[in-house]
Amino acid sequence: MILGLTRSWSLAGYSIAAVVILPLIALIVQAAFPDEAVFSHLFDTVLPTYIANSLLLMLLVGIGSLLIAVPAAWFVARCEFPGRRYFQWLLLLPLAMPAYIVAYVYTDMLDYAGPVQRALRAAFQWSSPHDYYFPAIRSLGGAAIMLSLVLFPYIYLLARTAFMEQSSSLLHASRIMGCSPWRSFWRLALPMSRPALAVGVALVAMETAADYATVSYFAVPTLTTAVYDTWLGYGSLTAAAKLSAIMLLVIFTLVGVERFARRKQELFQKQSALNDAERYRLDGLKAAGAWFYCSALLFLAFLLPFIVLTGYAIEYFDQSWDDRFWQYSWNSLYIAIVVSGICLLLALILMFVRRVSPRSTDSLPSRLSSTGYALPGTVLAIGVLVPLTYLDFAINDVYDWFGARGPGLVFTGSAIAIVFAFTVRFLAIAIGSLENSYKRISPSLDMASITMGQTPKQLLMRVHLPLLRKGLLAGALLVFIESMKELPAALLLRPIGFENLATYVFQFVSDEKLEHGALAAIVIVFVGLIPLIYLNRSLEHTS
């Protein structure tokens, strides 16, 4: 800690935190305003359905992702079978595939006019839907399956790490006491991994609550779609803020319940590196079963949608490779670059203040600034609209007072609103990346630098920055990818005539014409693979 830290640095940290949490504060204040017409109508008619569907969808996706991810994580972490080293990172690839694209691909295949049902009718001579039963893909259950296929890697990654870090001596002791591998897993390994699984399920539930595109495409009314429809359909910012506040209450309750459930759970074990000799060697049918399970999961969650997208992109390349594609790609690119730069700069200031400040309270700005990632895109968009709308009106009122013509919607009518929302949402990623990098820098370097007469600014520029290069690169990369993929906030905040790749693809999905947007979707997927390749390199060093 550096006693010579000037007040300006602390003031900068608190100022950043105040701006970042402004949308949340504005949302809560706006939700407190009366709105008898729209919200009362929603409350009396469809709001209970929205809430019930949201909670049920979160529950189903959480359970589905858990059931999918845990066996795969156990096979990869604790078993030896053909292809294990490849599956450990291949099973992360579904994270790069947007859920609404997966939903479209499977809907196209499984609908009444799709190839699966056509083949069934031809094989069994069925002539109409009354002759057989086929589950409806466009339903709440179908949406839960699609989201589970895309979101299970969150739980898989945490569970895999938890299984690998468990003490091998405990599992060996259970085997000596007569437990089969299955009983060792069920009675020892699974309970010890409960904290990681709980965190993974909470992450999946929050991502499910934040999803708009999939539930909208499947016509499943949830709180997310309600916020979107209330703002764009009814034009009521207050009603949308009230619905957003309900979503926040659901998410914060979920996080609170998860932490309360683990409040008294403590786990002490000796962690040791796992080598190949300590894994259960699977032979014969068991090895084939593990390989088949991981292969089927990879095929259904990533390879099949990717193959379909690639086919569409090749077939419709001439129609897709046009000026619009380049313009929307550029829009996505420059917004992602700007957001990445802003997030890195703000995160660097926040973490530097937290690092060198002698006051424990100076860690508060970085913590407050990390809350934006918990806000769903639609909720964040409403929170951003509230202060920026008032600011736009205030600017134009000042111009009117001087008898001049106002500039119009400077903030809400431009890409500034999108950049602000993305910065608030993804600043936590940059902070987390730099926090991990700062943990590897010895505090003695700070003391030595100050002893040699370095100012805080010189310490940051000459000592910290060179040592933070990898953390800065990783943070910039992750923020860039998330900015390229973010859809709900972009849909609500984009100015008239503005499209990026995510909104461009979603428009085609909504119109049942994904084949025309397949090339843009492929670009989004390939960009999303970059951090997974980076993560794969990290996994290979731990295996």
Side-chain angles (χ1 to χ4, degrees), residues 232-492:
L232 294 185
Y234 294 100
S236 175
L237 192 59
T238 300
K242 290 179 182 292
L243 292 172
S244 300
I246 294 175
M247 284 190 65
L248 285 180
L249 180 62
V250 171
I251 291 174
F252 290 153
T253 301
L254 173 70
V255 175
V257 168
E258 183 269 326
R259 291 184 177 179
F260 180 80
R262 296 190 291 116
R263 69 192 187 283
K264 293 183 179 180
Q265 185 179 40
E266 294 182 299
L267 179 63
F268 301 97
Q269 59 174 320
K270 180 181 178 181
Q271 297 182 356
S272 58
L274 188 68
N275 56 54
D276 293 340
E278 294 173 323
R279 293 188 174 92
Y280 299 114
R281 184 165 298 278
L282 303 180
D283 298 311
L285 291 178
K286 292 181 179 180
W291 181 89
F292 178 80
Y293 180 83
C294 295
S295 298
L297 187 55
L298 175 65
F299 178 77
L300 294 174
F302 180 80
L303 290 180
L304 179 59
F306 185 78
I307 292 171
V308 172
L309 276 183
T310 303
Y312 285 156
I314 294 174
E315 183 177 356
Y316 292 87
F317 180 82
D318 292 337
Q319 294 95 316
S320 302
W321 191 265
D322 55 16
D323 292 339
R324 290 189 306 167
F325 171 77
W326 284 106
Q327 179 61 50
Y328 301 155
S329 297
W330 168 246
N331 290 343
S332 294
L333 181 64
Y334 87 76
I335 285 180
I337 291 175
V338 170
V339 171
S340 299
I342 295 175
C343 285
L344 281 187
L345 178 61
L346 298 183
L348 188 61
I349 295 173
L350 289 167
M351 291 309 301
F352 181 71
V353 170
R354 181 174 174 178
R355 166 85 173 194
V356 301
S357 175
R359 297 180 293 272
S360 59
T361 54
D362 281 342
S363 64
L364 182 62
S366 61
R367 295 176 181 175
L368 289 176
S369 301
S370 299
T371 58
Y373 194 69
L375 302 180
T378 49
V379 173
L380 177 59
I382 299 300
V384 166
L385 280 172
V386 173
L388 292 189
T389 299
Y390 282 109
L391 188 58
D392 274 338
F393 281 123
I395 293 174
N396 285 274
D397 287 342
V398 170
Y399 272 81
D400 291 340
W401 189 77
F402 283 103
R405 183 179 180 181
L409 302 178
V410 177
F411 297 101
T412 57
S414 68
I416 294 176
I418 297 179
V419 171
F420 181 38
F422 285 10
T423 300
V424 172
R425 180 159 169 74
F426 302 130
L427 180 57
I429 298 176
I431 290 175
S433 180
L434 287 182
E435 184 176 11
N436 290 331
S437 296
Y438 258 122
K439 289 179 180 178
R440 299 184 179 95
I441 300 177
S442 173
S444 61
L445 291 177
D446 299 353
M447 296 295 101
S449 299
I450 296 302
T451 302
M452 296 174 66
Q454 299 289 303
T455 65
K457 182 179 178 180
Q458 291 172 330
L459 171 65
L460 175 63
M461 301 301 294
R462 297 179 179 180
V463 179
H464 289 179
L465 275 181
L467 297 174
L468 292 172
R469 283 181 300 178
K470 289 186 177 180
L472 290 169
L473 176 61
L477 184 62
L478 292 173
V479 173
F480 179 88
I481 302 308
E482 292 296 330
S483 300
M484 292 283 290
K485 293 170 57 180
E486 174 64 24
L487 175 64
L491 281 174
L492 280 173

Side-chain angles (χ1 to χ4, degrees), residues 46-63:
V46 295
L47 184 58
T49 302
Y50 289 150
I51 296 176
N53 284 345
S54 298
L55 293 176
L56 182 57
L57 185 64
M58 292 165 66
L59 177 64
L60 292 177
V61 175
I63 294 175

